[in-house]
Amino acid sequence: MPSAATITAAALAWLSVTCTALVPSSQPYSAVRTGFAGRHQTRLWRHEVRLRSEETPTEPAAEESAEEAAPTEPERPKQFDLKAANTASAEKPFNQFDPVLSITGFISRRFGLVGGLAIVGALAATEGVEIVKGLTDTGPQPGSGETITTASGLQYVDILVGTSGDSPKPGNIVGFNAVVTIGDVTLFDTYKDKPVAFKYGQRPFQNVVCDGLEEGVQGMKVGGKRKLIVNQELAPPGVKLPPGVPIIYTVELTEVLNSYL
């Protein structure tokens, strides 16, 4: 039986032969060992880089987390769009509670086509009357020139007689032009400025309005022109007339309106 020393020597010889066969003669064993170590270090470095990339968040993720952490601004109130509001209101249907629309709608539903035609005929007749009045109205007509004296002592002369509209009554707004004179002195002339308006029956009087003027426009219509001869009792308050000299109003009525105040 070989000794231990013999066995050890044989093993070393076998290892020497094996290494010589595996490693080319042009490349020493130390170089092979270095190559293996380099590849091993490369694998370790790649593994470490992969681990770091998994632990470190990417830049988009960091931005998302920053956006989530940042406080959100409160939503600003929207500005009022007048154009859109007008468009929306224009698209809304006409007021269903309008009396005329309600009545005509009821008649049309109740009586059908005949009722609708009757409504159209009534409206046309109303408008036709107004049209006829406009066509046949020849405007103010010359007055008689006669001097008329009332119970209060007021005197008036119709220069032009109006034929359209209503005569003034209490509560109406009356507009007029006037030239006011005492003798040869002109106190007031609205033709050089603008017409005067007053509420019929209102007290105290305003401007040049007085009892004589208020009584003198009774019965007049728009377009009418009248000369009023007003004595001291009917003159404006505070006006002192010379003895026997009246205050003269030459009045032209320009409008008579209803007042809702």
Side-chain angles (χ1 to χ4, degrees), residues 148-157 168 174 176 178 180 198 200-203 205-220 226-237 239 241 246-251 253:
I148 300 174
T149 304
T150 66
S152 64
L154 173 70
Q155 294 180 319
Y156 67 87
V157 178
V174 181
F176 65 94
V180 183
F198 71 100
Y200 195 93
Q202 185 180 28
R203 298 294 186 275
F205 293 117
Q206 304 292 328
N207 297 322
V208 293
V209 181
C210 61
D211 288 318
L213 175 64
E214 196 171 70
E215 182 182 350
V217 297
Q218 291 180 4
M220 294 182 67
R226 184 175 283 182
K227 179 181 178 180
L228 307 177
I229 305 169
V230 181
N231 56 32
Q232 180 65 66
E233 288 74 16
L234 303 176
V239 175
L241 298 176
I247 182 171
I248 307 298
Y249 286 77
T250 304
V251 180
L253 210 63

Side-chain angles (χ1 to χ4, degrees), residues 18-102:
T18 303
C19 291
T20 303
L22 292 174
V23 180
S25 59
S26 60
Q27 185 178 10
Y29 175 73
S30 58
V32 174
R33 183 177 180 182
T34 303
F36 281 115
R39 286 193 296 273
H40 180 67
Q41 291 293 333
T42 301
R43 285 195 298 272
L44 290 176
W45 178 78
R46 289 177 178 175
H47 180 67
E48 183 178 358
V49 169
R50 185 171 64 254
L51 291 177
R52 289 182 179 179
S53 64
E54 292 177 356
E55 293 176 357
T56 305
T58 59
E59 185 175 353
E63 292 179 355
E64 292 178 1
S65 61
E67 292 178 357
E68 293 177 358
T72 58
E73 295 183 359
E75 185 177 356
R76 297 180 179 178
K78 296 181 179 180
Q79 295 182 350
F80 180 74
D81 192 344
L82 181 59
K83 183 177 181 181
N86 289 337
T87 304
S89 63
E91 294 175 355
K92 292 181 180 179
F94 187 74
N95 181 11
Q96 60 180 343
F97 299 105
D98 180 79
V100 176
L101 181 62
S102 300

Side-chain angles (χ1 to χ4, degrees), residues 100-142:
V100 176
L101 181 62
S102 300
I103 294 173
T104 54
F106 171 76
I107 294 176
S108 298
R109 290 192 301 270
R110 181 67 178 81
F111 300 101
L113 180 60
V114 175
L117 292 176
I119 295 172
V120 172
L123 294 176
T126 303
E127 294 297 327
V129 170
E130 297 298 326
I131 293 173
V132 170
K133 284 183 178 180
L135 293 174
T136 57
D137 186 10
T138 57
Q141 300 298 312

